[in-house]
Amino acid sequence: MSWGRTGVGDRAVAVGAMAILLVAALSGQHSPTDLAPLGYVLLIVGGLALAAYRWAPVTVLAVTGLCALGYQAIGFDVPAVAYLFAVYGAVRAGHRIAAVAGSVIMVATLPLAILAAHQDRPVGEAFGQGRDALQIAWLIAAGAAGEALRQAERRADEAERTREETARRRADEERLHIARELHDSLTHQISVIKVQSEAAVHVAHKRGEEVPESLLAIRDAGREAARELRTTLEALRDDGKSQRQGLADVPGLVERARATGLDATLTIDGHCQDLPTALDRTVFRIVQESLTNIARHAAAATASVRIDYRPDTLVIQVDDDGKATADTPPLPGVGLLGMRERVTALGGHLRAAPRSQGGFSVHAELPMDRA
């Protein structure tokens, strides 16, 4: 529901109600010159107050009721049209008790307001005129209409919530199914490759034999495949409650890169601030994938990671001094594609290309307001 905003339709209703009140007053038994200025003010205020009936229904109910009592006390025999709209709005917003209490007070006090304007009028006639100005049937109809629409909107909201929960549950079940299939089909085979290759390297070292480069490559690939598979399974099984890696874990990535012999540095500029979850994870993944690519393909001696907090943007730049040149554009791998998809999903921009002075550079700009 859009309660809390004044739309064009609300303003049109308010102007229409004001026009009805003024026309009813001008077409009554009094000539326009006999109408007191206060009466005009009360008619106009009572009608225009309806423009706010969505975001302040109880206040509008009180204002329209007081205006109706006021112009009746002055002598304007005008139906309380604006008050009926206010009752509808209050009930629709869920303020049924306020609407009922206000209506009871209005029905009881309208005859008194009429008697104040026409002191020579019999009490019975005043009560009859009060019933004409605010009929019980119209009050009940306005309240019933508001309640019917409120119930319909509530059922629509519940149906939408149910659809979202069903879709979320099905997505979770599908993710768990995929995780189980990956675990059953790949984990065992990768574990066998990893264990056998490490055992072969260990035996070769123990015998003093030279370990073939291909065997070392198989061992390293098995370790990396096991790590990536574990990360993938954790992501698929994630229920949104477990702690995910983010910017706070980037220093650990850089330290692990240094442990492999890469002279890696980390620089963070600007005022550090809490990041949205999606942005926090994306920063970690960009740095992780960049350092992984450097270790695998760059043959670099140094690498620098720079994170710059700007007023509305977070900038991540990872440079290395590897073998990439401007004449050898990078092959579009899965890692770069994944980085680009993550950045694009957050409304950012990614540039991944060789540097003019040699080496490779990954530059990502992520808007913090859209994350």
Side-chain angles (χ1 to χ4, degrees):
M1 293 185 294
S2 59
W3 290 92
R5 296 181 180 179
T6 301
V8 177
D10 299 337
R11 292 193 288 271
V13 169
V15 172
M18 179 193 69
I20 292 173
L21 293 172
L22 290 176
V23 169
L26 292 172
S27 61
Q29 59 183 354
H30 299 289
S31 62
T33 55
D34 295 331
L35 297 176
L38 180 58
Y40 279 119
V41 173
L42 292 174
L43 290 170
I44 293 173
V45 171
L48 294 183
L50 292 175
Y53 84 98
R54 288 184 184 270
W55 59 270
V58 176
T59 301
V60 171
L61 186 73
V63 170
T64 55
L66 291 174
C67 288
L69 291 174
Y71 62 67
Q72 287 287 345
I74 291 175
F76 294 172
D77 186 11
V78 178
V81 176
Y83 184 77
L84 292 175
F85 280 101
V87 169
Y88 160 81
V91 175
R92 183 181 174 184
H95 302 286
R96 288 173 291 186
I97 295 178
V100 172
S103 298
V104 170
I105 293 173
M106 283 290 294
V107 170
T109 55
L110 263 178
L112 300 179
I114 295 172
L115 285 174
H118 308 282
Q119 297 180 2
D120 56 343
R121 182 167 297 183
V123 175
E125 186 176 341
F127 273 92
Q129 186 176 342
R131 286 195 302 270
D132 292 337
L134 186 63
Q135 294 189 10
I136 302 296
W138 285 111
L139 271 176
I140 295 175
E147 180 65 18
L149 191 54
R150 188 180 77 88
Q151 293 293 341
E153 290 174 340
R154 191 185 67 174
R155 286 193 295 269
D157 290 342
E158 290 177 352
E160 181 66 22
R161 228 173 7 251
T162 301
R163 284 194 296 268
E164 291 177 355
E165 291 173 356
T166 301
R168 191 180 303 112
R169 185 175 63 252
R170 289 176 178 173
D172 291 341
E173 292 173 353
E174 184 64 21
R175 284 193 296 106
L176 291 175
H177 174 71
I178 294 173
R180 286 194 297 268
E181 290 295 326
L182 284 175
H183 181 273
D184 295 341
S185 60
L186 295 180
T187 302
H188 177 69
Q189 288 83 347
I190 291 176
S191 298
V192 170
I193 295 172
K194 179 173 173 289
V195 171
Q196 293 291 341
S197 60
E198 289 180 347
V201 172
H202 176 73
V203 170
H205 283 156
K206 189 174 181 180
R207 293 176 178 176
E209 300 174 356
E210 182 179 357
V211 182
E213 290 294 330
S214 58
L215 185 57
L216 293 174
I218 292 173
R219 182 198 62 180
D220 295 339
R223 290 175 176 175
E224 185 63 26
R227 281 196 297 269
E228 291 186 355
L229 180 59
R230 182 168 59 251
T231 301
T232 301
L233 292 176
E234 289 175 354
L236 288 172
R237 290 186 173 123
D238 179 37
D239 59 359
K241 299 177 182 178
S242 59
Q243 184 177 3
R244 296 294 297 270
Q245 293 170 311
L247 181 57
D249 301 292
V250 169
L253 287 176
V254 176
E255 287 300 320
R256 285 196 292 273
R258 291 178 63 87
T260 63
L262 180 67
D263 185 11
T265 60
L266 172 63
T267 304
I268 299 178
D269 285 341
H271 176 65
C272 298
Q273 53 187 290
D274 292 334
L275 300 178
T277 302
L279 180 57
D280 197 35
R281 296 174 182 173
T282 299
V283 173
F284 177 84
R285 294 303 182 192
I286 290 174
V287 176
Q288 182 188 45
E289 185 62 33
S290 300
L291 292 178
T292 300
N293 287 340
I294 292 173
R296 285 181 177 176
H297 312 297
T302 63
S304 65
V305 179
R306 183 182 184 89
I307 299 174
D308 187 8
Y309 286 91
R310 296 180 183 176
D312 300 317
T313 308
L314 187 68
V315 178
I316 305 102
Q317 180 149 345
V318 183
D319 297 326
D320 67 70
D321 62 350
K323 60 184 180 181
T325 62
D327 299 330
T328 58
L331 296 176
V334 176
L336 287 178
L337 179 61
M339 278 196 289
R340 194 173 302 280
E341 289 175 346
R342 289 176 181 272
V343 172
T344 303
L346 295 179
H349 304 282
L350 177 73
R351 182 180 62 83
R355 302 190 303 168
S356 58
Q357 64 271 39
F360 198 80
S361 176
V362 174
H363 181 90
E365 295 185 5
L366 300 170
M368 288 188 280
D369 57 341
R370 290 185 58 184

